[in-house]
Amino acid sequence: MTSSGLCGLMGIPSSFSTANAAAVKTRHDPLIERLYAMTEPNSADMSSGVKRNALSVLMATAKKPKPAQAETLHKSTQGPYSFRDALAPLIQNPDKFVKSGEVLKYTEDYVLIHDKYPKASVHLLILPRDSTRTRLHPFKALCPHASKITRTKEFYDKMSEFVRECEDLAIKQLEELHKKKFTAQDLKVGVHSTPSMSNLHIHVISVDNYSEALKNKKHYNTFNTPFFVPFDELETITPEDARIKGGPVYCAHIATKNDLICWRCEKNFENQFKKLKDHLEEEFILWKREKTAI
């Protein structure tokens, strides 16, 4: 190939002289040097009679893609692993997490775990194991009147039984922790209208909102505004309710824009989370003081 033809392939004007090429060569670009050498009369490629062209050189010098690294993290059943899929391994293989204490109880229908970042003194999660529903929004998976999935009422009724069992375990934990007598009235059970995790889960949480992991306004409001939907209300939610309450605009607004209202005395702290946090500690002490000692 002539130097003018090579220049054309590289997008260099045909008037580009040998002197210009020599100047480019001094930049020590290996590819440029190799292409330039091919135009020299005494080059190995020319003298050996081997027919080469710029494309073959470019292909030979192109970087080869690195082989894909083997995936070492757990994967959920329906997508690549991410923090949103962190519940999947516990649902798939709960027996592997019993010894560590992460799994409190499991059956063929559900797994009960401690929330890794509890937002109250007791905070448990019920993880249904139905593979046809685990990746669905709670309204689609659990609401008989808002879901188009068949046998949703049957599934909701079955989960209701499990919820009552898990409430009993949560009450027992509260009593062991605080040495006081508690009832189901001291718990909240429900789902988030926009869940942060991919797998279906139901919160069983004490009402005290007392935890180091409760760190900001959004944490508090996701359990103390309509963002949190009580389990018993799921049975009556209509398709219109589901459309609005499950909408990202609605959920983002109430979680981040609603005022901070004390769960117990209903005092409005507006946007002052630090003051609310201090107040919650006072309410926690009063709440326990009202309970009968065991």
mmCIF file with all atom_site columns, all heavy atoms in Angstrom, residues 140-156:
data_model
loop_
_atom_site.group_PDB
_atom_site.id
_atom_site.type_symbol
_atom_site.label_atom_id
_atom_site.label_alt_id
_atom_site.label_comp_id
_atom_site.label_asym_id
_atom_site.label_entity_id
_atom_site.label_seq_id
_atom_site.pdbx_PDB_ins_code
_atom_site.Cartn_x
_atom_site.Cartn_y
_atom_site.Cartn_z
_atom_site.occupancy
_atom_site.B_iso_or_equiv
_atom_site.pdbx_formal_charge
_atom_site.auth_seq_id
_atom_site.auth_comp_id
_atom_site.auth_asym_id
_atom_site.auth_atom_id
_atom_site.pdbx_PDB_model_num
ATOM 1   N N   . LYS A 1 140 ? -49.762 -5.801  44.671 1.00 0.00 ? 140 LYS A N   1
ATOM 2   C CA  . LYS A 1 140 ? -50.071 -6.843  43.681 1.00 0.00 ? 140 LYS A CA  1
ATOM 3   C C   . LYS A 1 140 ? -50.038 -8.236  44.305 1.00 0.00 ? 140 LYS A C   1
ATOM 4   O O   . LYS A 1 140 ? -50.789 -9.124  43.908 1.00 0.00 ? 140 LYS A O   1
ATOM 5   C CB  . LYS A 1 140 ? -49.075 -6.775  42.518 1.00 0.00 ? 140 LYS A CB  1
ATOM 6   C CG  . LYS A 1 140 ? -49.232 -5.556  41.638 1.00 0.00 ? 140 LYS A CG  1
ATOM 7   C CD  . LYS A 1 140 ? -48.264 -5.605  40.457 1.00 0.00 ? 140 LYS A CD  1
ATOM 8   C CE  . LYS A 1 140 ? -48.462 -4.411  39.547 1.00 0.00 ? 140 LYS A CE  1
ATOM 9   N NZ  . LYS A 1 140 ? -47.516 -4.435  38.392 1.00 0.00 ? 140 LYS A NZ  1
ATOM 10  N N   . ALA A 1 141 ? -49.163 -8.402  45.283 1.00 0.00 ? 141 ALA A N   1
ATOM 11  C CA  . ALA A 1 141 ? -48.996 -9.726  45.888 1.00 0.00 ? 141 ALA A CA  1
ATOM 12  C C   . ALA A 1 141 ? -50.037 -10.030 46.949 1.00 0.00 ? 141 ALA A C   1
ATOM 13  O O   . ALA A 1 141 ? -50.422 -11.192 47.125 1.00 0.00 ? 141 ALA A O   1
ATOM 14  C CB  . ALA A 1 141 ? -47.604 -9.844  46.494 1.00 0.00 ? 141 ALA A CB  1
ATOM 15  N N   . LEU A 1 142 ? -50.528 -8.976  47.663 1.00 0.00 ? 142 LEU A N   1
ATOM 16  C CA  . LEU A 1 142 ? -51.312 -9.204  48.873 1.00 0.00 ? 142 LEU A CA  1
ATOM 17  C C   . LEU A 1 142 ? -52.728 -8.632  48.867 1.00 0.00 ? 142 LEU A C   1
ATOM 18  O O   . LEU A 1 142 ? -53.529 -9.003  49.721 1.00 0.00 ? 142 LEU A O   1
ATOM 19  C CB  . LEU A 1 142 ? -50.564 -8.625  50.080 1.00 0.00 ? 142 LEU A CB  1
ATOM 20  C CG  . LEU A 1 142 ? -49.281 -9.353  50.496 1.00 0.00 ? 142 LEU A CG  1
ATOM 21  C CD1 . LEU A 1 142 ? -48.427 -8.466  51.396 1.00 0.00 ? 142 LEU A CD1 1
ATOM 22  C CD2 . LEU A 1 142 ? -49.620 -10.654 51.215 1.00 0.00 ? 142 LEU A CD2 1
ATOM 23  N N   . CYS A 1 143 ? -53.032 -7.723  47.971 1.00 0.00 ? 143 CYS A N   1
ATOM 24  C CA  . CYS A 1 143 ? -54.334 -7.037  48.028 1.00 0.00 ? 143 CYS A CA  1
ATOM 25  C C   . CYS A 1 143 ? -55.370 -7.738  47.131 1.00 0.00 ? 143 CYS A C   1
ATOM 26  O O   . CYS A 1 143 ? -55.293 -7.640  45.900 1.00 0.00 ? 143 CYS A O   1
ATOM 27  C CB  . CYS A 1 143 ? -54.190 -5.588  47.597 1.00 0.00 ? 143 CYS A CB  1
ATOM 28  S SG  . CYS A 1 143 ? -53.054 -4.636  48.631 1.00 0.00 ? 143 CYS A SG  1
ATOM 29  N N   . PRO A 1 144 ? -56.332 -8.416  47.711 1.00 0.00 ? 144 PRO A N   1
ATOM 30  C CA  . PRO A 1 144 ? -57.310 -9.179  46.922 1.00 0.00 ? 144 PRO A CA  1
ATOM 31  C C   . PRO A 1 144 ? -58.087 -8.342  45.916 1.00 0.00 ? 144 PRO A C   1
ATOM 32  O O   . PRO A 1 144 ? -58.415 -8.817  44.827 1.00 0.00 ? 144 PRO A O   1
ATOM 33  C CB  . PRO A 1 144 ? -58.250 -9.758  47.986 1.00 0.00 ? 144 PRO A CB  1
ATOM 34  C CG  . PRO A 1 144 ? -57.423 -9.805  49.233 1.00 0.00 ? 144 PRO A CG  1
ATOM 35  C CD  . PRO A 1 144 ? -56.539 -8.594  49.160 1.00 0.00 ? 144 PRO A CD  1
ATOM 36  N N   . HIS A 1 145 ? -58.391 -7.072  46.269 1.00 0.00 ? 145 HIS A N   1
ATOM 37  C CA  . HIS A 1 145 ? -59.213 -6.237  45.398 1.00 0.00 ? 145 HIS A CA  1
ATOM 38  C C   . HIS A 1 145 ? -58.396 -5.402  44.422 1.00 0.00 ? 145 HIS A C   1
ATOM 39  O O   . HIS A 1 145 ? -58.962 -4.814  43.492 1.00 0.00 ? 145 HIS A O   1
ATOM 40  C CB  . HIS A 1 145 ? -60.100 -5.309  46.234 1.00 0.00 ? 145 HIS A CB  1
ATOM 41  C CG  . HIS A 1 145 ? -61.044 -6.037  47.147 1.00 0.00 ? 145 HIS A CG  1
ATOM 42  N ND1 . HIS A 1 145 ? -62.067 -6.829  46.681 1.00 0.00 ? 145 HIS A ND1 1
ATOM 43  C CD2 . HIS A 1 145 ? -61.082 -6.122  48.501 1.00 0.00 ? 145 HIS A CD2 1
ATOM 44  C CE1 . HIS A 1 145 ? -62.722 -7.357  47.699 1.00 0.00 ? 145 HIS A CE1 1
ATOM 45  N NE2 . HIS A 1 145 ? -62.134 -6.953  48.822 1.00 0.00 ? 145 HIS A NE2 1
ATOM 46  N N   . ALA A 1 146 ? -57.088 -5.330  44.632 1.00 0.00 ? 146 ALA A N   1
ATOM 47  C CA  . ALA A 1 146 ? -56.249 -4.496  43.764 1.00 0.00 ? 146 ALA A CA  1
ATOM 48  C C   . ALA A 1 146 ? -55.334 -5.315  42.873 1.00 0.00 ? 146 ALA A C   1
ATOM 49  O O   . ALA A 1 146 ? -54.688 -4.777  41.989 1.00 0.00 ? 146 ALA A O   1
ATOM 50  C CB  . ALA A 1 146 ? -55.404 -3.548  44.621 1.00 0.00 ? 146 ALA A CB  1
ATOM 51  N N   . SER A 1 147 ? -55.284 -6.603  43.107 1.00 0.00 ? 147 SER A N   1
ATOM 52  C CA  . SER A 1 147 ? -54.378 -7.465  42.350 1.00 0.00 ? 147 SER A CA  1
ATOM 53  C C   . SER A 1 147 ? -55.127 -8.242  41.273 1.00 0.00 ? 147 SER A C   1
ATOM 54  O O   . SER A 1 147 ? -56.263 -8.668  41.466 1.00 0.00 ? 147 SER A O   1
ATOM 55  C CB  . SER A 1 147 ? -53.678 -8.454  43.291 1.00 0.00 ? 147 SER A CB  1
ATOM 56  O OG  . SER A 1 147 ? -52.875 -9.362  42.569 1.00 0.00 ? 147 SER A OG  1
ATOM 57  N N   . LYS A 1 148 ? -54.455 -8.436  40.134 1.00 0.00 ? 148 LYS A N   1
ATOM 58  C CA  . LYS A 1 148 ? -55.016 -9.255  39.062 1.00 0.00 ? 148 LYS A CA  1
ATOM 59  C C   . LYS A 1 148 ? -54.485 -10.686 39.131 1.00 0.00 ? 148 LYS A C   1
ATOM 60  O O   . LYS A 1 148 ? -54.836 -11.522 38.296 1.00 0.00 ? 148 LYS A O   1
ATOM 61  C CB  . LYS A 1 148 ? -54.670 -8.633  37.705 1.00 0.00 ? 148 LYS A CB  1
ATOM 62  C CG  . LYS A 1 148 ? -55.309 -7.268  37.477 1.00 0.00 ? 148 LYS A CG  1
ATOM 63  C CD  . LYS A 1 148 ? -54.929 -6.710  36.117 1.00 0.00 ? 148 LYS A CD  1
ATOM 64  C CE  . LYS A 1 148 ? -55.569 -5.336  35.906 1.00 0.00 ? 148 LYS A CE  1
ATOM 65  N NZ  . LYS A 1 148 ? -55.202 -4.762  34.580 1.00 0.00 ? 148 LYS A NZ  1
ATOM 66  N N   . ILE A 1 149 ? -53.642 -10.952 40.129 1.00 0.00 ? 149 ILE A N   1
ATOM 67  C CA  . ILE A 1 149 ? -53.077 -12.286 40.299 1.00 0.00 ? 149 ILE A CA  1
ATOM 68  C C   . ILE A 1 149 ? -54.138 -13.193 40.922 1.00 0.00 ? 149 ILE A C   1
ATOM 69  O O   . ILE A 1 149 ? -54.813 -12.810 41.884 1.00 0.00 ? 149 ILE A O   1
ATOM 70  C CB  . ILE A 1 149 ? -51.829 -12.250 41.198 1.00 0.00 ? 149 ILE A CB  1
ATOM 71  C CG1 . ILE A 1 149 ? -50.858 -11.171 40.729 1.00 0.00 ? 149 ILE A CG1 1
ATOM 72  C CG2 . ILE A 1 149 ? -51.149 -13.616 41.224 1.00 0.00 ? 149 ILE A CG2 1
ATOM 73  C CD1 . ILE A 1 149 ? -50.349 -11.354 39.327 1.00 0.00 ? 149 ILE A CD1 1
ATOM 74  N N   . THR A 1 150 ? -54.295 -14.385 40.390 1.00 0.00 ? 150 THR A N   1
ATOM 75  C CA  . THR A 1 150 ? -55.304 -15.304 40.912 1.00 0.00 ? 150 THR A CA  1
ATOM 76  C C   . THR A 1 150 ? -54.942 -15.787 42.310 1.00 0.00 ? 150 THR A C   1
ATOM 77  O O   . THR A 1 150 ? -53.777 -15.824 42.699 1.00 0.00 ? 150 THR A O   1
ATOM 78  C CB  . THR A 1 150 ? -55.456 -16.526 39.984 1.00 0.00 ? 150 THR A CB  1
ATOM 79  O OG1 . THR A 1 150 ? -54.189 -17.199 39.888 1.00 0.00 ? 150 THR A OG1 1
ATOM 80  C CG2 . THR A 1 150 ? -55.906 -16.102 38.597 1.00 0.00 ? 150 THR A CG2 1
ATOM 81  N N   . ARG A 1 151 ? -55.953 -16.119 43.067 1.00 0.00 ? 151 ARG A N   1
ATOM 82  C CA  . ARG A 1 151 ? -55.831 -16.698 44.418 1.00 0.00 ? 151 ARG A CA  1
ATOM 83  C C   . ARG A 1 151 ? -55.123 -15.754 45.404 1.00 0.00 ? 151 ARG A C   1
ATOM 84  O O   . ARG A 1 151 ? -54.525 -16.200 46.371 1.00 0.00 ? 151 ARG A O   1
ATOM 85  C CB  . ARG A 1 151 ? -55.095 -18.036 44.355 1.00 0.00 ? 151 ARG A CB  1
ATOM 86  C CG  . ARG A 1 151 ? -55.751 -19.042 43.415 1.00 0.00 ? 151 ARG A CG  1
ATOM 87  C CD  . ARG A 1 151 ? -55.003 -20.343 43.326 1.00 0.00 ? 151 ARG A CD  1
ATOM 88  N NE  . ARG A 1 151 ? -55.119 -21.107 44.569 1.00 0.00 ? 151 ARG A NE  1
ATOM 89  C CZ  . ARG A 1 151 ? -54.582 -22.313 44.738 1.00 0.00 ? 151 ARG A CZ  1
ATOM 90  N NH1 . ARG A 1 151 ? -53.873 -22.855 43.764 1.00 0.00 ? 151 ARG A NH1 1
ATOM 91  N NH2 . ARG A 1 151 ? -54.740 -22.945 45.870 1.00 0.00 ? 151 ARG A NH2 1
ATOM 92  N N   . THR A 1 152 ? -55.254 -14.440 45.177 1.00 0.00 ? 152 THR A N   1
ATOM 93  C CA  . THR A 1 152 ? -54.604 -13.484 46.070 1.00 0.00 ? 152 THR A CA  1
ATOM 94  C C   . THR A 1 152 ? -55.279 -13.457 47.440 1.00 0.00 ? 152 THR A C   1
ATOM 95  O O   . THR A 1 152 ? -54.618 -13.312 48.468 1.00 0.00 ? 152 THR A O   1
ATOM 96  C CB  . THR A 1 152 ? -54.609 -12.072 45.450 1.00 0.00 ? 152 THR A CB  1
ATOM 97  O OG1 . THR A 1 152 ? -53.857 -12.108 44.229 1.00 0.00 ? 152 THR A OG1 1
ATOM 98  C CG2 . THR A 1 152 ? -53.965 -11.058 46.388 1.00 0.00 ? 152 THR A CG2 1
ATOM 99  N N   . LYS A 1 153 ? -56.595 -13.628 47.472 1.00 0.00 ? 153 LYS A N   1
ATOM 100 C CA  . LYS A 1 153 ? -57.301 -13.656 48.762 1.00 0.00 ? 153 LYS A CA  1
ATOM 101 C C   . LYS A 1 153 ? -56.825 -14.850 49.590 1.00 0.00 ? 153 LYS A C   1
ATOM 102 O O   . LYS A 1 153 ? -56.597 -14.730 50.809 1.00 0.00 ? 153 LYS A O   1
ATOM 103 C CB  . LYS A 1 153 ? -58.814 -13.756 48.521 1.00 0.00 ? 153 LYS A CB  1
ATOM 104 C CG  . LYS A 1 153 ? -59.649 -13.815 49.808 1.00 0.00 ? 153 LYS A CG  1
ATOM 105 C CD  . LYS A 1 153 ? -59.495 -12.529 50.623 1.00 0.00 ? 153 LYS A CD  1
ATOM 106 C CE  . LYS A 1 153 ? -60.563 -12.421 51.711 1.00 0.00 ? 153 LYS A CE  1
ATOM 107 N NZ  . LYS A 1 153 ? -60.416 -13.452 52.776 1.00 0.00 ? 153 LYS A NZ  1
ATOM 108 N N   . GLU A 1 154 ? -56.652 -15.970 48.951 1.00 0.00 ? 154 GLU A N   1
ATOM 109 C CA  . GLU A 1 154 ? -56.166 -17.166 49.642 1.00 0.00 ? 154 GLU A CA  1
ATOM 110 C C   . GLU A 1 154 ? -54.752 -16.929 50.195 1.00 0.00 ? 154 GLU A C   1
ATOM 111 O O   . GLU A 1 154 ? -54.444 -17.312 51.323 1.00 0.00 ? 154 GLU A O   1
ATOM 112 C CB  . GLU A 1 154 ? -56.168 -18.339 48.670 1.00 0.00 ? 154 GLU A CB  1
ATOM 113 C CG  . GLU A 1 154 ? -55.681 -19.655 49.277 1.00 0.00 ? 154 GLU A CG  1
ATOM 114 C CD  . GLU A 1 154 ? -55.675 -20.777 48.254 1.00 0.00 ? 154 GLU A CD  1
ATOM 115 O OE1 . GLU A 1 154 ? -56.494 -20.736 47.301 1.00 0.00 ? 154 GLU A OE1 1
ATOM 116 O OE2 . GLU A 1 154 ? -54.844 -21.706 48.397 1.00 0.00 ? 154 GLU A OE2 1
ATOM 117 N N   . PHE A 1 155 ? -53.920 -16.272 49.393 1.00 0.00 ? 155 PHE A N   1
ATOM 118 C CA  . PHE A 1 155 ? -52.557 -15.987 49.821 1.00 0.00 ? 155 PHE A CA  1
ATOM 119 C C   . PHE A 1 155 ? -52.555 -14.994 50.990 1.00 0.00 ? 155 PHE A C   1
ATOM 120 O O   . PHE A 1 155 ? -51.820 -15.161 51.967 1.00 0.00 ? 155 PHE A O   1
ATOM 121 C CB  . PHE A 1 155 ? -51.749 -15.424 48.649 1.00 0.00 ? 155 PHE A CB  1
ATOM 122 C CG  . PHE A 1 155 ? -50.314 -15.110 48.986 1.00 0.00 ? 155 PHE A CG  1
ATOM 123 C CD1 . PHE A 1 155 ? -49.395 -16.125 49.206 1.00 0.00 ? 155 PHE A CD1 1
ATOM 124 C CD2 . PHE A 1 155 ? -49.880 -13.793 49.077 1.00 0.00 ? 155 PHE A CD2 1
ATOM 125 C CE1 . PHE A 1 155 ? -48.063 -15.851 49.511 1.00 0.00 ? 155 PHE A CE1 1
ATOM 126 C CE2 . PHE A 1 155 ? -48.561 -13.499 49.376 1.00 0.00 ? 155 PHE A CE2 1
ATOM 127 C CZ  . PHE A 1 155 ? -47.648 -14.536 49.592 1.00 0.00 ? 155 PHE A CZ  1
ATOM 128 N N   . TYR A 1 156 ? -53.390 -13.965 50.900 1.00 0.00 ? 156 TYR A N   1
ATOM 129 C CA  . TYR A 1 156 ? -53.489 -12.975 51.988 1.00 0.00 ? 156 TYR A CA  1
ATOM 130 C C   . TYR A 1 156 ? -53.931 -13.638 53.289 1.00 0.00 ? 156 TYR A C   1
ATOM 131 O O   . TYR A 1 156 ? -53.376 -13.369 54.353 1.00 0.00 ? 156 TYR A O   1
ATOM 132 C CB  . TYR A 1 156 ? -54.468 -11.859 51.601 1.00 0.00 ? 156 TYR A CB  1
ATOM 133 C CG  . TYR A 1 156 ? -54.724 -10.886 52.723 1.00 0.00 ? 156 TYR A CG  1
ATOM 134 C CD1 . TYR A 1 156 ? -53.851 -9.820  52.953 1.00 0.00 ? 156 TYR A CD1 1
ATOM 135 C CD2 . TYR A 1 156 ? -55.817 -11.036 53.576 1.00 0.00 ? 156 TYR A CD2 1
ATOM 136 C CE1 . TYR A 1 156 ? -54.068 -8.927  53.994 1.00 0.00 ? 156 TYR A CE1 1
ATOM 137 C CE2 . TYR A 1 156 ? -56.044 -10.160 54.619 1.00 0.00 ? 156 TYR A CE2 1
ATOM 138 C CZ  . TYR A 1 156 ? -55.163 -9.108  54.821 1.00 0.00 ? 156 TYR A CZ  1
ATOM 139 O OH  . TYR A 1 156 ? -55.375 -8.240  55.867 1.00 0.00 ? 156 TYR A OH  1
#
